[in-house]
Amino acid sequence: MNMITNHLPTAELQALDAAHHMHPFTDATGLAAKGARVIVRGKGVWLNDSDGNRILDAMAGLWCVNIGYGRKSLAEVAARQMEELAYYNTFFQTTHVPAIALAAKLAELAPGDLNHVFFAGSGSEANDTNIRLVRRYWQVKGQPEKRVIISRKNGYHGSTMGGGSLGGMAPIHAHGGMIDGIVHIDQPYWWGEGGEMTEAEFGLERAQQLEAKILELGVDTVAAFIGEPIQGAGGVIVPPATYWPEIQRICDKYGILLIADEVITGFGRTGNWFGSQTFGIKPHIMTIAKGLSSGYQPIGGSIVCDEVAAVVAEGGEFFHGYTYSGHPVAAAVALENLRVLQEEHIVEHVRDVAHPYLAERWAKLADHPLVGEAKLVGLMGSIALTPHKESRAKFASESGTVGLRCRERCFANNLIMRHVGDRMIISPPLVITPDEIDTLIARATLSLDECYAGLKADGMLVAKAG
Ligand SMILES: *Cc1c(COP(=O)(O)O)cnc(C)c1O
């Protein structure tokens, strides 16, 4: 058997990595100088690296390992499916049992009349599907000029050309440009952008930008609005309570399709199966990936409502699909993941145990001198680092400088917590226990203390002017 070698010393692995492996979202020069951390094993919420460190993964990989690492039943299902039918496509009037079973299961779990699934290999691909799906929908309805999709600045919808364009991240647009027909409105980020407004007022103002944009562009040109129930990669930005009801009202009023990008918020993350349920959103399409398979296999998709599916079907062949749409091994593993989530009552664990326990402790972090707001929905949390809480001040240093210093303290303390600018974020495996939450909070607090002391010593606890 051709085993992947895992016996080389860390330095040699790092040198090979630097020589041959191009990393996503990474400064290759900086990484080559430092050497990548080599992760070798995972169990539950814990990771082991090649230096023997045991790390608490408070990010569940990239927000995806909802049921935790090291689940044998998923490995067994994958092996069995590979032996039985490793691959077949779902083009040209063929299908197979794993794709059928997973689509039917998702239709059962998804709210309302979201009953139809188009499979993709990832969240980015699923959002590319959504762009084509909503434009196709309006074509079939005889309104082909309705093709603009409205999205938000600092939203994240993936990194393909379509997904990256839907997302509102300027550094992504700067590397390779954007596709046409996508426009962005401001994000509902009260802590950072709310000024003197109350959260409630600000939530309405940001939602009403959608209405203004529809009227500016002309309702006859707008196909859809897309948003994450909670912005994840943008910094775990929880919108004010007034935001989503107003977005829903506007989409309903103008007959605009509403796409909820549930790639992170799906599959228990917010304490319900879907974030749309937590926020009372009624989308026409949901984007799913990540927690769909808990990251054990690459798979994503779009869950589509009856009406959109019916209209697209009416149009005849839809010229779109991926070689791996509904891949049988990925679908079988995703189905097993859903079985584990359901039979182990993991969504209920989030709602009734893990969230309440963490919420109490997470909120207390706001008492730390470095921390402004502390937000937590389900098991998706963020804290804003600030030199001055009362004025919600930003640091004088370039955004992300302090966040990176804090993340480095976390890594040194064997806690994986990410930074987005100067916000620290978590999204741990949903199976995290109260004991493990205690460890998470202890390590986070120690890291904040160390970061604070370092900033003080370096004279960096300074607010940006204005
Ligand atoms: C991660 C993410 C995506 C992209 O998913 P990939 O599988 O990385 O392509 C899309 N939308 C949201 C909200 C995400 O968090």
Side-chain angles (χ1 to χ4, degrees):
M1 244 201 286
N2 179 17
M3 291 296 286
I4 295 168
T5 52
N6 192 24
H7 57 269
L8 295 174
T10 299
E12 278 180 49
L13 288 169
Q14 288 171 329
L16 282 171
D17 185 73
H20 302 297
H21 178 197
M22 295 176 79
H23 288 249
F25 286 103
T26 296
D27 165 6
T29 310
L31 184 67
K34 191 172 166 215
R37 190 166 199 171
V38 184
I39 303 297
V40 294
R41 204 173 308 112
K43 185 82 191 163
V45 303
W46 300 96
L47 292 170
N48 287 76
D49 71 11
S50 59
D51 289 331
N53 292 302
R54 191 158 176 267
I55 307 156
L56 198 163
D57 182 10
M59 282 306 298
L62 282 177
W63 325 80
C64 55
V65 189
N66 287 12
I67 64 170
Y69 296 95
R71 293 282 188 150
K72 219 183 171 81
S73 74
L74 275 71
E76 286 166 354
V77 163
R80 227 180 303 134
Q81 185 59 47
M82 278 186 198
E83 286 179 23
E84 191 155 314
L85 180 67
Y87 175 75
Y88 200 71
N89 67 72
T90 50
F91 291 23
F92 315 133
Q93 305 184 351
T94 60
T95 191
H96 47 68
V97 175
I100 298 166
L102 181 59
K105 184 71 195 174
L106 288 168
E108 175 199 315
L109 290 172
D113 66 348
L114 292 162
N115 288 320
H116 312 268
V117 186
F118 196 106
F119 288 113
S122 67
S124 302
E125 284 182 8
N127 278 326
D128 279 26
T129 295
N130 292 339
I131 295 170
R132 307 196 63 197
L133 206 52
V134 299
R135 288 178 176 172
R136 180 66 187 144
Y137 168 88
W138 290 112
Q139 262 179 2
V140 176
K141 300 233 328 167
Q143 293 177 271
E145 63 292 349
K146 276 173 84 72
R147 57 191 306 283
V148 173
I149 300 166
I150 301 175
S151 175
R152 286 102 50 91
K153 289 178 192 162
N154 199 36
Y156 187 78
H157 300 294
S159 178
T160 51
M161 278 310 298
S165 301
L166 285 176
M169 294 184 170
I172 294 179
H173 299 162
H175 292 182
M178 279 177 67
I179 65 167
D180 73 301
I182 292 169
V183 299
H184 298 91
I185 57 175
D186 288 324
Q187 59 177 334
Y189 179 24
W190 178 79
W191 168 270
E193 302 176 1
E196 299 296 309
M197 275 186 251
T198 64
E199 286 198 59
E201 289 165 352
F202 179 74
L204 284 179
E205 188 271 325
R206 288 290 151 113
Q208 284 160 4
Q209 285 194 17
L210 174 60
E211 187 159 31
K213 187 56 82 179
I214 292 169
L215 295 173
E216 174 197 325
L217 298 168
V219 67
D220 294 344
T221 69
V222 180
F225 171 79
I226 184 169
E228 307 154 81
I230 299 170
Q231 287 159 258
V236 183
I237 291 161
V238 181
T242 50
Y243 182 76
W244 276 111
E246 185 68 358
I247 290 282
Q248 182 76 54
R249 180 191 70 77
I250 294 164
C251 289
D252 291 349
K253 177 173 175 190
Y254 295 97
I256 302 300
L257 295 176
L258 174 52
I259 308 168
D261 186 337
E262 293 264 8
V263 169
I264 290 174
T265 50
F267 307 103
R269 178 58 58 198
T270 69
N272 285 298
W273 276 89
F274 297 96
S276 290
Q277 294 161 322
T278 302
F279 288 90
I281 308 165
K282 293 197 164 52
H284 296 91
I285 301 174
M286 271 184 186
T287 320
I288 55 170
K290 293 190 175 129
L292 167 59
S293 67
S294 284
Y296 281 68
Q297 284 284 293
I299 183 168
S302 306
I303 316 184
V304 180
C305 72
D306 289 342
E307 205 242 337
V308 171
V311 169
V312 171
E314 212 176 279
E317 182 170 350
F318 177 37
F319 298 110
H320 177 67
Y322 308 105
T323 300
Y324 297 139
S325 285
H327 190 285
V329 178
V333 168
L335 201 59
E336 174 62 9
N337 172 62
L338 299 180
R339 188 195 65 75
V340 169
L341 278 169
Q342 209 159 22
E343 289 186 10
E344 295 185 11
H345 307 290
I346 291 173
V347 184
E348 293 81 355
H349 169 78
V350 173
R351 192 188 61 210
D352 301 334
V353 181
H355 169 80
Y357 193 83
L358 177 57
E360 202 186 317
R361 288 153 184 81
W362 192 253
K364 287 209 184 90
L365 291 180
D367 298 337
H368 192 280
L370 197 53
V371 177
E373 70 168 358
K375 289 281 193 186
L376 185 76
V377 177
L379 288 180
M380 202 174 165
S382 54
I383 51 182
L385 306 181
T386 176
H388 189 252
K389 298 173 198 249
E390 289 70 27
S391 61
R392 312 204 305 271
K394 298 177 176 68
F395 289 97
S397 53
E398 193 190 333
S399 167
T401 310
V402 172
L404 179 63
R405 285 173 70 125
C406 184
R407 189 193 76 182
E408 285 183 341
R409 294 324 309 151
C410 293
F411 279 17
N413 292 316
N414 285 331
L415 171 67
I416 295 184
M417 184 149 79
R418 222 170 107 180
H419 81 104
V420 175
D422 295 325
R423 290 179 81 81
M424 304 305 298
I425 60 177
I426 58 163
S427 171
L430 304 185
V431 294
I432 193 166
T433 64
D435 269 1
E436 290 163 343
I437 288 171
D438 287 341
T439 306
L440 189 166
I441 292 291
R443 290 183 185 183
T445 305
L446 173 63
S447 304
L448 286 167
D449 289 345
E450 290 174 355
C451 180
Y452 185 69
L455 292 171
K456 209 167 185 174
D458 295 341
M460 289 176 66
L461 287 169
V462 181
K464 189 174 241 145

